[in-house]
Amino acid sequence: MFIKIFQSLFLAAMLAVPAWAIDSAPAFEDPVLLARYDNLTRQLRCLVCLNDSIADSNATLAGDLRHELREQLASGKSDDEVLKFMTDRYGAFVMYKPPFEARTWVLWLGPGIFLLGGLAIAIRIIIKRAKLPIEDNDSNNSSEGDIA
Amino acid sequence: MWRYLIPISIFIALAIVLAGGLHLKPGCIPSPLIGKPAPAFTLVKVEDPTQQISNKDFLGRKYLINVWGTWCVACRQEHEALLAIAKQGIVPIVGIDWKDDISLAQRWLNQLGNPYAGTGYDNEGRVAIDFGVYGAPETFLVDEQGKVLYKYVGVMTPEVWQNAFLPRINNTGAIKDSEGTTCS
């Protein structure tokens, strides 16, 4: 019984999360516009707090940018137009996902380069080890530290 | 031998890269407006709300745009420097009073002195968004053609004025940092 009540309370609390959204009223009645609005607010960085999107930030500037976003979407601007409006004013930094350009290629390709480098080293070591003569267990253990 | 040198050199390279990272200012956002026309604005004038102020009135000469607010502690700190700059009379300073209470702004100017040729009241923050403002104080230098030459984020001081603004205004002397945006 108690578990049932707890479960339904928990479920209710989880479903009530949208009620704690930052702006008191939902941005749009229209679910399509609302989805676009939600998506855009998550793509844009709050420039005061740096590591929050404007969807998550309580900063006044983030509120102003959400307001701007709502008006532009309501007036029929496309997502690209809205994002261009923001990057024209705040630069690429306002986007959470930086564009691929001369300044950011290391950022985008770095992880892949490191992965390939690590893989190459691992393969080299494995091949080297495979070529070692097979010895009995005792001597193998003692020589393991020397393999590089 | 190599076996020891390689990890040590990787470690040293990494340490150098990370040490360099400590001196970065991730909060200093380069303005995309540098070299582009300053956004035009017309706002109610704080000094006299029956009048308006527009930056079109300043076309043809270099001028500063200073974004401030009475809620901004750093703006209080730079006020003396702005008064001194205004006194020199080299360039007019256009104020933008950002997200503020107009009566508080009026009292601020009456009590502390008014360095501005005029201050626009940007209560909605619209003009601030057009200028890519993300924190007060911010100061822009606009040239005769209305293009943004330079943006400075942070407290204006006599040193910043001397080293960053005056060389750009007079087109003389070596500009220490070639960046279009610097932060304090």
Side-chain angles (χ1 to χ4, degrees), chain B residues 63-140:
Chain B
Y63 64 94
L64 299 183
I65 293 177
N66 177 252
V67 183
W68 63 282
T70 57
W71 46 268
C72 152
V73 180
C75 301
R76 177 69 188 82
Q77 287 171 4
E78 70 168 7
H79 203 75
E80 302 304 320
L82 293 180
L83 286 170
I85 291 167
K87 215 173 176 184
Q88 290 177 21
I90 300 169
V91 286
I93 312 174
V94 180
I96 292 178
D97 183 30
W98 183 35
K99 308 290 287 178
D100 208 352
D101 178 327
I102 196 164
S103 58
L104 290 178
Q106 286 162 343
R107 189 166 16 149
W108 166 293
L109 294 177
N110 287 335
Q111 285 180 352
L112 302 174
N114 187 352
Y116 303 106
T119 300
Y121 182 51
D122 186 24
N123 189 33
E124 283 184 38
R126 275 284 159 77
V127 174
I129 289 178
D130 277 346
F131 274 85
V133 170
Y134 62 92
E138 287 186 8
T139 307
F140 296 83

Side-chain angles (χ1 to χ4, degrees), chain B residues 20-182:
Chain B
L22 289 179
H23 298 285
L24 292 179
K25 289 180 183 167
C28 189
I29 302 164
S31 172
L33 286 177
I34 307 299
K36 304 230 173 79
F41 64 83
T42 305
L43 288 168
V44 164
K45 204 171 176 179
V46 170
E47 292 88 341
D48 178 2
T50 62
Q51 286 187 11
Q52 289 192 320
I53 177 166
S54 167
N55 58 346
K56 285 180 213 140
D57 304 340
F58 296 87
L59 261 179
R61 62 179 304 184
K62 290 195 174 97
Y63 64 94
L64 299 183
I65 293 177
N66 177 252
V67 183
W68 63 282
T70 57
W71 46 268
C72 152
V73 180
C75 301
R76 177 69 188 82
Q77 287 171 4
E78 70 168 7
H79 203 75
E80 302 304 320
L82 293 180
L83 286 170
I85 291 167
K87 215 173 176 184
Q88 290 177 21
I90 300 169
V91 286
I93 312 174
V94 180
I96 292 178
D97 183 30
W98 183 35
K99 308 290 287 178
D100 208 352
D101 178 327
I102 196 164
S103 58
L104 290 178
Q106 286 162 343
R107 189 166 16 149
W108 166 293
L109 294 177
N110 287 335
Q111 285 180 352
L112 302 174
N114 187 352
Y116 303 106
T119 300
Y121 182 51
D122 186 24
N123 189 33
E124 283 184 38
R126 275 284 159 77
V127 174
I129 289 178
D130 277 346
F131 274 85
V133 170
Y134 62 92
E138 287 186 8
T139 307
F140 296 83
L141 173 62
V142 183
D143 75 3
E144 292 85 347
Q145 286 83 42
K147 273 194 304 190
V148 180
L149 279 184
Y150 177 60
K151 173 179 181 176
Y152 178 76
V153 182
V155 177
M156 175 71 82
T157 62
E159 291 73 35
V160 170
W161 173 245
Q162 196 71 38
N163 298 329
F165 281 88
L166 275 182
R168 287 178 168 90
I169 291 169
N170 299 327
N171 256 333
T172 54
I175 297 167
K176 267 192 197 160
D177 39 67
S178 56
E179 300 277 323
T181 308
T182 41

Side-chain angles (χ1 to χ4, degrees), chain A residues 25-45:
Chain A
F28 291 101
E29 298 276 318
D30 177 5
V32 179
L33 272 180
L34 187 62
R36 283 176 56 204
Y37 171 81
D38 282 345
N39 174 35
L40 285 170
T41 53
R42 280 180 176 76
Q43 282 185 48
L44 291 168
R45 185 191 300 275

Side-chain angles (χ1 to χ4, degrees), chain A residues 47-48 50 60-61 64-65 67-68 71 85-91 93 103 145-148, chain B residues 3 26-27 29-33 36 98-99 123-126 128-135:
Chain A
L47 295 127
V48 185
L50 301 181
T60 329
L61 178 61
D64 284 356
L65 289 177
H67 181 77
E68 185 71 44
E71 291 204 354
F85 173 93
M86 295 296 175
T87 48
D88 279 351
R89 283 156 183 76
Y90 290 100
F93 192 73
R103 277 181 53 192
D146 285 340
I147 301 166
Chain B
R3 175 198 294 198
I29 302 164
S31 172
L33 286 177
K36 304 230 173 79
W98 183 35
K99 308 290 287 178
N123 189 33
E124 283 184 38
R126 275 284 159 77
I129 289 178
D130 277 346
F131 274 85
V133 170
Y134 62 92

